[in-house]
Amino acid sequence: VRLLSRMLPERSQCLICGIAAKRVLARRGFGSELSFGVNPSSTPMVAHAWLIAGSVIVTGRDESRNFEEIVRL
């Protein structure tokens, strides 16, 4: 997932990585949830996506600290 994400525009990496990792985990029988958040102190609004499996943040962990979760799917 990380290798392929290097070929994508930076603005879409978090969402694409999250979706790809979710599919990889699902194929191996693991459940996960894709979280979406916004940075409330950023103008214009900045969004981020990260993947959670159980209590582990699989993708987007470092950046997720700066974002307030608005939905988890």
Side-chain angles (χ1 to χ4, degrees):
V1 171
R2 287 184 186 161
L3 177 65
L4 292 174
S5 72
R6 293 180 192 154
M7 294 183 256
L8 299 170
E10 190 170 327
R11 294 183 75 201
S12 65
Q13 284 185 359
C14 62
L15 179 57
I16 299 300
C17 286
I19 292 170
K22 185 170 182 61
R23 291 191 62 169
V24 168
L25 289 173
R27 277 192 234 130
R28 288 166 174 72
F30 295 99
S32 62
E33 296 177 301
L34 195 56
S35 294
F36 297 89
V38 295
N39 184 329
S41 62
S42 177
T43 304
M45 183 178 69
V46 177
H48 182 55
W50 59 97
L51 186 69
I52 301 172
S55 61
V56 176
I57 299 176
V58 179
T59 65
R61 178 182 61 240
D62 295 338
E63 298 87 355
S64 69
R65 295 179 188 133
N66 300 320
F67 292 84
E68 185 176 312
E69 186 179 62
I70 55 172
V71 67
R72 188 181 293 191
L73 308 171

